[in-house]
Amino acid sequence: MDRNVASQPRTGLVIRGATAGDAAALAEFGARTFFETFAKDNTAEDMRLHLESAWSPALQRAEILDAQIDTLLACDSGGLAGFAQLRTGHAPAGIATVQPVELLRFYVDKPWQGQGVASQLMEAVEAQARARGARELWLGVWERNERAQAFYRKHGFRRVGTQIFVVGTDPQTDHVMLREL
């Protein structure tokens, strides 16, 4: 993503590309929102293992600097309201695609849910995927996360398969959803 391009959504938030300096804030935000969303359905040990393996500042910095990953931040004057990560070079297993881009992560903080931030962030995701030459956008979403599935269906995604996502030591089933761009 062109790190110098920013958009001003209707809510007054700015959606921009992350920089290495955002790594610590992104790690904290990602770990907190993942925990708030999924802790009640997982053991404390599995959550600890997952958060340690997926949300360190060093890992977020590496992902921000990775040429195959675009990290979009939805920011207000107080900090992060949400973020999304897109990844090129990965196709969904067993699904016929032409030029896929994966929506690897998509999170909106609870105070911003229902405020239109997710839809604005999705518009930015779609624009960035198109800029990457994508013909399809795909994602994995936990089979028990009905709210997220409904949001993705609203934005044109359809279920095309399943995959396993491991939280700690617990293999969980994700629905693979895809939409053409």
Side-chain angles (χ1 to χ4, degrees):
M1 166 165 201
D2 182 345
R3 310 274 191 227
N4 297 318
V5 174
S7 65
Q8 186 73 31
R10 294 178 298 275
T11 63
L13 294 178
V14 172
I15 298 177
R16 64 172 177 83
T19 67
D22 295 312
L26 184 59
E28 182 282 324
F29 182 91
R32 180 177 52 78
T33 56
F34 189 93
F35 183 86
E36 290 171 355
T37 304
F38 301 111
K40 68 185 178 307
D41 297 307
N42 291 279
T43 68
E45 179 64 7
D46 282 334
M47 286 300 295
R48 183 188 66 75
L49 289 169
H50 178 76
L51 296 177
E52 286 176 359
S53 69
W55 294 107
S56 72
L59 177 59
Q60 295 314 303
R61 185 178 192 283
E63 289 177 351
I64 289 167
L65 296 175
D66 186 326
Q68 290 189 310
I69 297 177
D70 293 316
T71 302
L72 304 177
L73 305 179
C75 305
D76 75 348
S77 59
L80 286 174
F83 81 99
Q85 286 181 314
L86 293 91
R87 178 170 62 175
T88 62
H90 292 83
I95 309 298
T97 57
V98 177
Q99 186 72 24
V101 168
E102 179 183 12
L103 179 52
L104 183 62
R105 293 179 174 143
F106 192 94
Y107 293 90
V108 173
D109 207 357
K110 284 186 181 186
W112 291 99
Q113 292 176 7
Q115 305 297 312
V117 173
S119 291
Q120 293 167 16
L121 190 54
M122 183 60 76
E123 289 173 13
V125 161
E126 292 168 2
Q128 186 61 29
R130 284 187 181 99
R132 284 280 196 158
R135 300 278 303 275
E136 304 96 1
L137 186 59
W138 74 278
L139 58 90
V141 58
W142 191 28
E143 67 183 344
R144 292 170 50 188
N145 192 343
E146 291 292 330
R147 179 181 176 141
Q149 290 174 47
F151 172 78
Y152 295 130
R153 282 191 302 272
K154 177 181 167 185
H155 288 275
F157 288 86
R158 68 185 191 290
R159 183 176 167 195
V160 295
T162 61
Q163 66 182 12
I164 298 299
F165 181 84
V166 180
V167 176
T169 62
D170 182 19
Q172 300 179 359
T173 301
D174 276 3
H175 293 312
V176 174
M177 300 182 80
L178 180 135
R179 69 163 287 194
E180 286 78 23
L181 294 173

